[in-house]
Amino acid sequence: MTFWGLGGPKWWQQASRSVSISASLSRVESPPARADATFKVTMLPGDGVGPELMTAVKDVFKAGDVPVEFDEFHLSEVQNMASEDKLEELLSSMKNNKVAIKGKIHTPMEFKGELASYEMRLRRKLDLFANVVHVNSLPGYSTRHNNLDLVIIREQTEGEYSSLEHESVPGVIECLKIITRAKSRRIAKFAFDYATKKGRNKVTAVHKANIMKLGDGLFLQCCAEVAQLYPKIKYENIIIDNCCMQLVQNPYQFDVLVMPNLYGNIIDNLAAGLVGGAGVVPGESYSAEYAVFETGARHPFAQAVGRNIANPTAMLLSAANMLRHLNLEYHSHMVSDAVKRVIKQGKVRTRDLGGYCTTGDFVHAVVENLRHRPNY
Amino acid sequence: MAGTAWRSAVSRVLGSFKNGSPQPRNFIREMQTVTLIPGDGIGPEISNAVMKIFEAANAPIEWEERNVTAIKGPGGKWMIPPDAKESMDRNKIGLKGPLKTPIAAGHPSMNLLLRKTFDLYANVRPCVSIEGYKTPYTDVNLVTIRENTEGEYSGIEHLIVDGVVQSIKLITEQASERIAEYAFEYARNNQRASVTAVHKANIMRMSDGLFLRKCREAAEKHKDVKFTEMYLDTVCLNMVQDPTQFDVLVMPNLYGDILSDLCAGLIGGLGVTPSGNIGANGVAIFESVHGTAPDIAGKDFANPTALLLSAVMMLRHMGLHSHGKKIETACFDTIRDKKVLTKDLGGNSKCSEFTEAICQKVRDMD
């Protein structure tokens, strides 16, 4: 495979790719060498331990020679680095790159002027309507419920998070929850398409239509309508409080769950807790054109900043998912296998999984495991 | 806010706590009347079980049975029968079994009617792990206090245009203040160390912000109880990993509904969870939160534990701690022995046998 004639940058990167191609011939084809060899991805470290997690991702990518280049942006409401211009810059970068990886932009509780936080506005401007969280038990780390494999799909642009609040009379506040047919249908279709694509058997809609008869009733109706277009996938529905109870007693009865915004927030975090916490669950947000990769349970974890104790597993697994989205299958497997191997060996574990290692130690262990790629 | 009757009940409870062990008071032989609402389905069986156990324990309780099936009052409004209302207003304390809401009956759910009639603003659910009924979560010992009148369940919904629906979540200063005050009073009366307010004020900045402010104000007035605040998602995340870090949780309606059911799941489900509703004017109705189970009604299969534990909660509320402790210990011992258990607890016995075993244990304790 010639590499001189291709021009472009980084000939040694082409060289390493040709080597890696031969190494992976029996497994997965890595993409043919391109003129601009690297993919550009927007990176938004966010607040709290976000920057540390992003450093971990960058270190692992560098060690693994992953052909991805990051465009970094620092947007933060609590650190006073937020403004309309920054948001615009970020959006134009996203429109070019189409793919992003981000940490959590923390929302302070006091609000000046606008009720919607920057994170919500970003989501709305990019129309990231679907949030997908993969809840998979990690082999080698046992919790009260093992071998879990759930997917939680959450509508994240409307519902309770519409930021429409007003004080009609002093002491009486109304907060509006908006449910529309168009968005409910869209998320239901997304859920069923996702289930079909990934070979899942069942989609369960989570709601509270016995109390919120019109709102959640509409959501449920849309899910039922869309379900009829997918006869191969079983459709069920369950009330949110019963769902929470079932998740802690028997989570194996669920497969793919779809729900409006607030319930999604609750169930995401509940399910993350079932398999090991916010440090091990990856997630992503999709719109019709963009994909943003992040952790499943979104917390800035400010109390861990600077102490080097955050668990980068979730972010690394999400980065691996991002590589798969970019069609870099080989690199994706390389990163996720390395992370899973480190967890399985159990020697290097961060605080939240019961160990004493630092973030740096964990990243080092992952990098070590990258070099020992098995030849399948 | 609450009437004098409530305050006297609180001071009675406080009084018994101040002395450490519950002291026999002069009027311990005085029978207190409690309104009993057996309910539907398995309701009558489990109510009978509870009455039998109370008799065996010599609890000074006289039961007044009433039916609360809704009737249409003057003016066409649905209401509970006047004799039930009069009985509750007189006795102030009630014990309720499961009620069914027929789908096409035309009237709103009975639970909603009761809530509106007696202004039951606080729903209290203590969740304690039951020794002998194993779940993956051991050492759970927390209480969820949920605001029960407003919030997301105000029932105010509109169809704006075709395909766009709006639900209104209502948060008022008075209701938030009332529930926060109650939470701290409860913590103080039951010797709980801390109260945690659960909210989502980072997203619903004005509404949950108001709720949180009221909780903070109530915390200032009750400096002896520790106060923390936590986001709802963080609570869910931590609850399934380590439930021992929580003590008393206070929250608005929807979060309370979800979290209280989540906690019930941690200890074994609705069949073993007690629950109490506190209202204005000193009214308190204790209930079992499971369904009417029409498929096993009348067959002597039901498990009376939930109603029994709710009745124990009621005894504690009334200040009859010794009787409450006796019955609760007998119940837990029976479950721990595993010799006589109903089907849902993993055994093969009938409801009557289970009841008899508890009665025997209670008599043995005297």
Side-chain angles (χ1 to χ4, degrees):
Chain A
M1 185 155 280
T2 65
F3 40 81
W4 298 109
L6 285 170
K10 307 188 187 79
W11 64 268
W12 38 268
Q13 206 153 23
Q14 324 284 49
S16 68
R17 194 173 296 116
S18 60
V19 166
S20 54
I21 283 175
S22 54
S24 69
L25 261 179
S26 52
R27 202 166 177 257
V28 178
E29 290 271 338
S30 61
R34 302 164 13 128
D36 52 318
T38 55
F39 288 87
K40 287 191 110 204
V41 166
T42 308
M43 176 183 269
L44 189 56
D47 296 309
V49 293
E52 294 175 38
L53 299 180
M54 291 302 163
T55 314
V57 171
K58 281 191 280 193
D59 288 344
V60 170
F61 276 23
K62 196 159 105 181
D65 284 332
V66 177
V68 167
E69 208 179 273
F70 292 112
D71 269 347
E72 283 192 41
F73 286 91
H74 294 270
L75 187 70
S76 163
E77 220 167 320
V78 282
Q79 293 173 51
N80 282 324
M81 282 199 276
S83 67
E84 283 305 318
D85 304 327
K86 275 206 191 275
L87 195 60
E88 284 306 320
E89 264 177 48
L90 175 60
L91 289 174
S92 52
S93 160
M94 270 298 301
K95 293 198 169 86
N96 284 334
N97 300 336
K98 307 275 183 197
V99 176
I101 185 165
K102 80 182 245 300
K104 161 103 178 142
I105 307 175
H106 184 55
T107 312
M109 285 206 281
E110 307 72 37
F111 54 96
K112 327 179 185 88
E114 267 214 46
L115 278 177
S117 65
Y118 270 91
E119 180 135 323
M120 283 206 278
R121 278 157 66 191
L122 184 66
R123 240 173 256 156
R124 276 187 212 150
K125 288 212 155 117
L126 294 172
D127 198 22
L128 295 168
F129 67 92
N131 179 275
V132 180
V133 171
H134 307 274
V135 181
N136 294 320
S137 290
L138 293 170
Y141 179 61
S142 61
T143 57
R144 294 183 179 96
H145 309 271
N146 291 314
N147 296 323
L148 271 183
D149 186 6
L150 301 172
V151 176
I152 299 173
I153 300 182
R154 156 193 182 188
E155 207 292 326
Q156 59 175 6
T157 51
E158 58 169 20
E160 297 83 348
Y161 290 22
S162 315
S163 319
L164 294 164
E165 294 180 284
H166 45 268
E167 189 161 7
S168 338
V169 166
V172 176
I173 297 188
E174 282 187 344
C175 172
L176 303 179
K177 161 178 165 166
I178 310 282
I179 302 268
T180 55
R181 183 174 290 136
K183 289 197 176 169
S184 302
R185 264 211 199 126
R186 187 168 61 162
I187 193 68
K189 188 142 199 314
F190 179 89
F192 279 93
D193 281 341
Y194 189 91
T196 314
K197 186 165 143 197
K198 304 277 176 176
R200 299 275 182 166
N201 309 327
K202 186 164 79 158
V203 170
T204 309
V206 180
H207 64 97
K208 189 87 191 157
N210 52 342
I211 304 285
M212 290 184 250
K213 300 192 168 82
L214 285 186
D216 284 354
L218 178 60
F219 178 79
L220 207 57
Q221 199 189 12
C222 293
C223 287
E225 284 170 16
V226 173
Q228 299 193 335
L229 303 171
Y230 296 81
K232 289 213 190 89
I233 303 200
K234 196 156 160 253
Y235 167 68
E236 280 178 1
N237 63 62
I238 189 171
I239 301 187
I240 172 79
D241 40 8
N242 193 12
C243 183
C244 288
M245 206 182 328
Q246 297 298 326
L247 274 172
V248 289
Q249 295 188 299
N250 178 18
Y252 304 100
Q253 57 185 292
F254 298 111
D255 192 0
V256 175
L257 294 152
V258 63
M259 59 203 87
N261 215 331
L262 178 68
Y263 312 146
N265 185 223
I266 296 172
I267 306 256
D268 277 351
N269 282 277
L270 215 170
L274 290 178
V275 294
V280 301
V281 177
E284 55 243 22
S285 299
Y286 292 105
S287 83
E289 302 152 11
Y290 310 109
V292 175
F293 293 84
E294 49 193 349
T295 58
R298 302 188 274 229
H299 300 269
F301 200 21
Q303 51 272 47
V305 175
R307 290 161 64 191
N308 209 0
I309 56 172
N311 187 348
T313 306
M315 198 56 92
L316 287 171
L317 287 176
S318 196
N321 289 338
M322 177 184 78
L323 293 174
R324 188 175 308 124
H325 181 84
L326 292 170
N327 276 327
L328 292 167
E329 277 285 347
Y330 176 74
H331 296 92
S332 166
H333 278 290
M334 180 173 77
V335 171
S336 66
D337 283 349
V339 173
K340 290 191 182 143
R341 212 172 304 129
V342 172
I343 304 250
K344 190 155 182 195
Q345 283 168 3
K347 278 184 263 170
V348 184
R349 287 224 175 131
T350 44
R351 274 291 170 93
D352 58 330
L353 297 184
Y356 297 97
C357 297
T358 62
T359 315
D361 290 339
F362 190 87
V363 172
H364 186 74
V366 172
V367 163
E368 284 296 306
N369 273 280
L370 279 178
R371 301 211 181 100
H372 302 295
R373 314 195 249 290
N375 294 325
Y376 283 99
Chain B
M1 213 179 77
T4 51
W6 182 75
R7 283 201 205 282
S8 69
V10 168
S11 57
R12 252 186 291 149
V13 173
L14 269 177
S16 66
F17 265 109
K18 256 188 254 174
N19 304 334
S21 59
Q23 303 233 333
R25 296 179 305 282
N26 345 4
F27 51 94
I28 193 142
R29 278 294 137 214
E30 177 188 290
M31 299 291 269
Q32 302 194 49
T33 327
V34 167
T35 310
L36 175 68
I37 301 164
D40 309 306
I42 54 174
E45 298 169 51
I46 53 180
S47 307
N48 278 332
V50 170
M51 286 199 280
K52 237 190 267 172
I53 297 174
F54 269 50
E55 217 184 288
N58 289 324
I61 304 281
E62 228 175 65
W63 305 100
E64 230 178 64
E65 271 192 51
R66 290 283 181 270
N67 189 345
V68 290
T69 318
I71 57 169
K72 251 211 164 112
K77 245 179 78 159
W78 288 101
M79 54 183 230
I80 63 172
D83 59 338
K85 182 166 190 322
E86 182 264 338
S87 165
M88 255 329 281
D89 283 335
R90 192 172 12 97
N91 298 328
K92 300 287 181 197
I93 309 283
L95 184 66
K96 173 174 95 66
L99 293 174
K100 75 164 185 260
T101 304
I103 301 190
H107 60 70
S109 95
M110 231 79 74
N111 290 316
L112 188 61
L113 264 181
L114 278 171
R115 204 173 302 146
K116 287 253 155 72
T117 317
F118 299 109
D119 196 16
L120 301 172
Y121 65 92
N123 178 279
V124 182
R125 230 186 251 192
C127 293
V128 183
S129 281
I130 299 183
E131 249 182 283
Y133 187 43
K134 274 255 153 288
T135 57
Y137 300 88
T138 52
D139 300 333
V140 179
N141 187 356
L142 50 90
V143 180
T144 56
I145 298 183
R146 154 194 178 192
E147 206 291 326
N148 219 355
T149 57
E150 56 172 25
E152 297 82 348
Y153 292 11
S154 19
I156 312 174
E157 291 187 289
H158 318 105
L159 179 69
I160 311 210
V161 285
D162 182 41
V164 178
V165 173
Q166 156 186 306
S167 264
I168 297 193
K169 162 179 164 160
L170 199 62
I171 299 273
T172 58
E173 199 170 324
Q174 291 149 311
S176 308
E177 197 175 322
R178 194 164 59 165
I179 193 72
E181 280 293 332
Y182 179 75
F184 281 95
E185 291 286 351
Y186 183 89
R188 196 182 268 169
N189 297 343
N190 291 279
Q191 274 134 353
R192 311 292 303 206
S194 72
V195 170
T196 307
V198 180
H199 64 96
K200 265 217 90 58
N202 51 346
I203 303 287
M204 289 179 252
R205 303 205 222 196
M206 282 173 81
S207 31
D208 280 355
L210 174 61
F211 179 80
L212 201 55
R213 256 201 324 274
K214 288 294 148 197
C215 288
R216 284 182 188 151
E217 283 171 24
E220 287 299 308
K221 293 195 219 131
H222 299 261
K223 288 259 192 236
D224 49 339
V225 179
K226 186 162 157 251
F227 173 70
T228 46
E229 37 191 74
M230 223 189 223
Y231 291 136
L232 173 65
D233 44 8
T234 313
V235 170
C236 286
L237 187 62
N238 293 337
M239 182 75 78
V240 291
Q241 295 186 286
D242 180 21
T244 57
Q245 56 186 291
F246 296 107
D247 195 355
V248 176
L249 299 161
V250 63
M251 56 211 116
N253 214 333
L254 175 70
Y255 313 151
D257 191 12
I258 297 176
L259 269 183
S260 57
D261 276 2
L262 176 60
C263 298
L266 295 178
I267 62 169
L270 295 179
V272 293
T273 311
S275 167
N277 295 298
I278 312 296
N281 299 322
V283 172
I285 303 187
F286 297 86
E287 60 177 357
S288 59
V289 285
H290 52 72
T292 53
D295 44 338
I296 58 171
K299 298 192 188 144
D300 205 16
F301 279 148
N303 179 359
T305 307
L307 195 62
L308 187 62
L309 290 177
S310 304
V312 166
M313 217 177 135
M314 177 186 80
L315 288 173
R316 290 215 166 98
H317 180 92
M318 292 160 77
L320 298 165
H321 296 276
S322 57
H323 291 96
K325 192 95 190 93
K326 208 165 38 169
I327 298 177
E328 190 187 52
T329 317
C331 181
F332 285 165
D333 283 346
T334 314
I335 298 183
R336 198 198 1 233
D337 285 346
K338 290 201 211 241
K339 283 194 224 118
V340 193
L341 288 178
T342 49
K343 208 132 166 273
D344 59 319
L345 292 175
N348 262 320
S349 314
K350 294 191 167 296
C351 174
S352 41
E353 292 167 15
F354 184 65
T355 313
E356 191 46 47
I358 301 183
C359 289
Q360 193 55 44
K361 282 225 158 51
V362 168
R363 284 186 216 113
D364 290 341
M365 276 194 217
D366 283 330

